[in-house]
């Protein structure tokens, strides 16, 4: 992991347009800041998807095509704190469906916390956690025996480029059988006035999330980034439908990364691209699915139509 981080940082900061992969936001501190983001008034995504899970639980259950005689597994990719999923899990347990919950996440801390809270809150639920990059876990899914309900929520797909998302969905489709179902959470394209504040909040939580990436490089790769010398910048245009995040150097400066035995020069106003958060509509999702074995077989939205959970089948 450390070697890969080192390699990715070196490659990203050596490019003419500097960039760092957003997956490295999520160390122990990044996980905590992300929980704060999900509770921010500006971050409508979590609230909108929560509303779908709260108000449309019956519709979700109907779309899963399950019955009480069949054992199935709910596999969640990038489970995080699982707050939305708990609404569904609780309902399924109360209705006496026979299933296991298998959350997969890159963060061991997040998984441990989730397991502890589930053991307390939904006592009879069987939980098996798995730590890993969900891209890599897909290969294991094919040999999975029970019917699979795969949850990929929170618009986590939006942090992939369209090409990565296509590859991911192709792989996911290959790991699925006819009866399996995916619930794909996707933030919908909408006005800048709603999207942009979610990525540049007043209180500076997203700024600290973005800057923590530099602090992580300082700690893990022995670098000397002065985080006060970088600003946070978010951009979004509705026609493109992608929110982009950057760190911007406030002055011309040199930063040393000891573990790489290398220094990097940043010009005044030079940007490091740290994240894309893609927004979707039906056409874009259909485009992503075009060369896969998957199709859209349903869509559930919140009352504002900000967010959708797409139901994908083979
Ligand atoms: C995890 N992911 C869907 C979040 C998003 O909205 O792109 C990450 C995030 N970045 C800044 N705020 C939230």
């Amino acid at each position: 992991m450390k070697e890969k981080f080192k390699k990715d940082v070196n490659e990203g900061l050596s490019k003419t347009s500097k960039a760092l992969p957003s997956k490295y936001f999520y160390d122990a501190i990044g996980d905590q800041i992300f929980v704060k983001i999900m509770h921010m008034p500006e971050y409508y995504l979590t609230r909108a998807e929560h509303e779908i899970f709260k108000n449309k639980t019956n519709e979700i259950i109907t779309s899963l095509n399950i019955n009480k005689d069949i054992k199935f597994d709910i596999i969640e990719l990038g489970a995080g704190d699982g707050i939305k999923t708990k609404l569904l899990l609780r309902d399924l347990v109360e209705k006496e469906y026979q299933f296991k919950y298998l959350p997969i996440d890159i963060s061991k801390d997040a998984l441990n916390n989730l397991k502890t809270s589930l053991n307390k809150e939904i006592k009879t639920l069987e939980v098996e956690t798995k730590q890993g990059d969900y891209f890599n876990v897909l290969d294991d899914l094919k040999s999975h025996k029970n019917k699979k309900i795969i949850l990929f929520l929170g618009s986590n797909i939006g942090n992939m480029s369209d090409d990565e998302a296509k590859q991911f969905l192709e792989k996911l489709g290959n790991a699925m059988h006819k009866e399996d179902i995916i619930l794909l959470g996707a933030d919908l394209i909408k006005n800048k006035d709603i999207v942009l504040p979610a990525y540049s909040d007043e209180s500076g939580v997203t700024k600290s999330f973005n800057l923590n990436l530099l602090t992580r490089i300082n700690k893990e790769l022995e670098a000397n980034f002065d985080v006060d010398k970088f600003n946070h910048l978010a951009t979004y245009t509705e026609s493109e439908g992608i929110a982009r995040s950057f760190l911007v150097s406030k002055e011309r400066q040199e930063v040393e990364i000891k573990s790489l035995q290398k220094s990097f020069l940043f010009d005044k106003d030079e940007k490091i691209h740290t994240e894309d958060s893609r927004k979707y509509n039906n056409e874009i999702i259909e485009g992503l699915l075009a060369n896969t074995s998957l199709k859209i077989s349903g869509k559930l939205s919140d009352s504002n139509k900000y967010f959708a959970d797409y139901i994908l089948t083979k």
Side-chain angles (χ1 to χ4, degrees):
M1 178 74 183
K2 175 106 176 253
E3 283 310 304
K4 176 87 173 96
F5 183 37
K6 217 162 117 175
K7 183 169 172 277
D8 288 347
V9 169
N10 190 19
E11 274 176 21
L13 295 183
S14 303
K15 288 182 186 167
T16 335
S17 300
K18 293 184 172 65
L20 290 167
S22 62
K23 66 176 178 185
Y24 293 116
F25 283 146
Y26 303 92
D27 64 354
I29 294 177
D31 284 348
Q32 283 172 19
I33 308 176
F34 186 57
V35 171
K36 278 195 199 157
I37 288 179
M38 290 193 289
H39 288 99
M40 291 183 337
E42 294 95 336
Y43 199 72
Y44 60 85
L45 289 83
T46 313
R47 268 194 316 281
E49 197 174 35
H50 191 267
E51 185 200 308
I52 300 171
F53 271 70
K54 192 163 186 289
N55 295 345
K56 298 200 171 165
T57 332
N58 285 335
E59 279 159 88
I60 296 178
I61 294 179
T62 308
S63 70
L64 299 182
N65 208 3
I66 43 179
N67 70 51
K68 292 181 187 166
D69 305 322
I70 298 179
K71 281 197 179 156
F72 61 91
D73 291 327
I74 297 187
I75 300 168
E76 181 159 14
L77 307 177
D81 65 5
I83 292 185
K84 290 158 284 190
T85 316
K86 282 178 186 171
L87 295 166
L88 175 66
L89 298 174
R90 203 171 283 123
D91 212 46
L92 288 168
V93 166
E94 276 167 14
K95 294 192 165 114
E96 298 183 337
Y97 284 96
Q98 302 182 60
F99 70 102
K100 261 193 302 205
Y101 175 53
L102 312 172
I104 299 169
D105 204 286
I106 192 116
S107 159
K108 196 143 196 88
D109 288 340
L111 284 173
N112 289 340
N113 293 339
L114 179 58
K115 185 158 178 146
T116 311
S117 71
L118 281 169
N119 289 344
K120 243 193 259 162
E121 292 167 34
I122 317 177
K123 291 203 169 56
T124 53
L125 178 69
E126 236 185 287
V127 184
E128 251 174 53
T129 61
K130 188 162 187 163
Q131 195 213 349
D133 185 327
Y134 38 70
F135 233 104
N136 302 329
V137 178
L138 293 184
D139 293 328
D140 302 342
L141 289 182
K142 203 175 169 78
S143 55
H144 201 85
K145 295 240 161 43
N146 293 345
K147 171 184 167 98
K148 300 189 280 291
I149 292 163
I150 296 170
L151 307 182
F152 192 39
L153 307 179
S155 207
N156 284 339
I157 192 165
N159 299 132
M160 295 179 191
S161 68
D162 286 352
D163 279 345
E164 282 167 345
K166 281 179 191 167
Q167 273 180 43
F168 178 76
L169 290 165
E170 193 184 342
K171 232 179 152 187
L172 195 52
N174 291 340
M176 282 178 53
H177 299 126
K178 198 87 198 121
E179 68 280 8
D180 296 342
I181 282 171
I182 302 174
L183 216 61
L184 176 73
D187 193 19
L188 300 176
I189 292 184
K190 66 187 84 58
N191 196 271
K192 189 175 180 169
D193 297 344
I194 299 161
V195 176
L196 204 49
Y199 296 93
S200 51
D201 58 290
E202 285 275 321
S203 53
V205 180
T206 310
K207 178 179 180 179
S208 64
F209 185 60
N210 205 1
L211 284 172
N212 179 55
L213 188 47
L214 301 184
T215 310
R216 180 173 186 183
I217 297 173
N218 281 348
K219 279 190 285 201
E220 295 184 26
L221 304 183
E222 296 168 80
N224 65 351
F225 278 103
D226 179 347
V227 294
D228 292 333
K229 290 188 181 164
F230 287 85
N231 268 325
H232 166 76
L233 170 75
T235 63
Y236 175 78
T237 49
E238 192 175 343
S239 55
E240 191 192 28
I242 302 177
R244 300 184 196 282
S245 295
F246 302 90
L247 289 161
V248 186
S249 180
K250 289 184 188 171
E251 56 186 66
R252 190 177 162 85
Q253 54 181 315
E254 198 174 73
V255 175
E256 189 190 359
I257 304 186
K258 275 210 177 109
S259 75
L260 290 172
Q261 294 175 306
K262 223 167 150 178
S263 289
F264 296 88
L265 189 67
F266 296 85
D267 273 332
K268 182 175 179 333
D269 297 326
E270 185 173 355
K271 294 185 196 130
I272 312 172
H273 180 200
T274 50
E275 186 177 50
D276 277 353
S277 301
R278 211 224 200 290
K279 312 299 164 198
Y280 300 91
N281 54 29
N282 290 0
E283 233 180 297
I284 296 171
I285 299 280
E286 274 156 12
L288 296 181
L289 298 178
N291 291 316
T292 73
S293 53
L294 299 168
K295 59 175 188 303
I296 300 175
S297 60
K299 180 184 177 185
L300 299 164
S301 302
D302 62 300
S303 51
N304 290 316
K305 303 256 180 301
Y306 285 175
F307 199 95
D309 283 298
Y310 284 89
I311 293 138
L312 309 180
T313 50
K314 273 222 155 184

